Amino acid sequence: MVKEEKMKRLVRSAIRGNVDAYGQLIEVYKTYLYRTAWLYVRNEDLALDVVQESILKGFRQIKTLKEARYFKTWLTRILINTAKDMLSRQMRVLQLEQVRESAAETQNTLEEKMDLCDAIQKLPEQYQSVVILRYFNDMKLSEIAEILQMPEGSVSAYLFRAKQELKNILKEGYRYA
């Protein structure tokens, strides 16, 4: 609870224009932001660009945040939109072959994780978002609904359908599906 109050104070301070407070918030969420960006763009350099642009957009728009407790949700929404924009703008081939080669040289579980990531990329866009937020960022359905601005029931239905499609893509019995 103490940490939550401290975070709210930092957010309120950032909204009032305190650059250091915003920097402290970004420091707290930097790993989360990078991981989420990478899951969308699947490229290290592009993920770093997405994070950097999202942080800048967030800083420029921080005054639009109405409630401090929704900072993470608000910033995640910016990040997702930035990732989608960059992917559509760039339209370049991701360097999956390099990732696959390095995965083959390492252990089998990394290969399985890459198969799962490839399978997720084959899902419809709305399913990708709920799967990434739920299973890779361990978010609750209510948090996902807030970020994606949709009812919880829709999030639940998308997750169910996504798992069914992943099973078809990965074949029955794959341990991550």
Side-chain angles (χ1 to χ4, degrees):
M1 184 81 126
V2 173
K3 184 178 178 183
E4 187 176 319
E5 285 302 314
K6 180 181 178 189
M7 294 298 285
K8 285 180 184 177
R9 278 196 303 275
L10 280 173
V11 172
R12 286 191 291 269
S13 183
I15 291 171
R16 289 190 302 271
N18 185 327
V19 176
D20 291 332
Y22 186 76
Q24 289 176 41
L25 290 165
I26 295 306
E27 187 65 30
V28 169
Y29 292 115
K30 68 182 180 184
T31 302
Y32 162 79
L33 292 170
Y34 174 77
R35 183 179 57 216
T36 303
W38 190 90
L39 289 165
Y40 271 91
V41 299
R42 312 258 332 272
N43 175 287
E44 184 178 340
D45 293 333
L46 192 53
L48 290 169
D49 289 344
V50 167
V51 171
Q52 183 177 8
E53 190 169 324
S54 298
I55 291 169
L56 186 58
K57 283 180 182 179
F59 181 72
R60 289 180 183 150
Q61 299 172 9
I62 189 74
K63 292 185 187 310
T64 66
L65 179 62
K66 291 180 178 31
E67 291 206 36
R69 65 183 171 155
Y70 293 123
F71 177 78
K72 183 178 178 184
T73 301
W74 173 80
L75 191 57
T76 301
R77 190 176 305 132
I78 291 172
L79 181 95
I80 289 170
N81 290 334
T82 301
K84 288 177 182 178
D85 289 348
M86 266 197 195
L87 281 175
S88 65
R89 243 189 347 233
Q90 300 261 337
M91 294 305 285
R92 64 182 183 162
V93 177
L94 299 178
Q95 300 167 341
L96 292 176
E97 290 308 313
Q98 287 180 342
V99 173
R100 285 191 180 122
E101 288 173 12
S102 65
E105 294 169 5
T106 60
Q107 57 194 17
N108 203 21
T109 57
L110 181 56
E111 195 172 295
E112 290 172 347
K113 288 178 184 177
M114 291 307 302
D115 289 343
L116 178 59
C117 288
D118 287 343
I120 290 170
Q121 291 296 320
K122 293 176 184 174
L123 293 173
E125 186 176 306
Q126 69 270 23
Y127 295 174
Q128 289 179 22
S129 293
V130 295
V131 166
I132 289 169
L133 293 173
R134 176 73 175 125
Y135 296 111
F136 290 86
N137 289 323
D138 202 28
M139 289 188 167
K140 297 176 185 171
L141 295 181
S142 59
E143 293 173 312
I144 297 169
E146 178 69 30
I147 289 169
L148 300 179
Q149 297 179 322
M150 66 174 58
E152 274 187 58
S154 296
V155 172
S156 182
Y158 284 4
L159 278 173
F160 177 79
R161 291 180 196 136
K163 285 193 271 186
Q164 295 302 319
E165 286 196 31
L166 284 172
K167 284 180 184 177
N168 290 335
I169 293 168
L170 296 169
K171 298 194 177 41
E172 206 70 52
Y174 186 77
R175 71 181 190 162
Y176 290 104

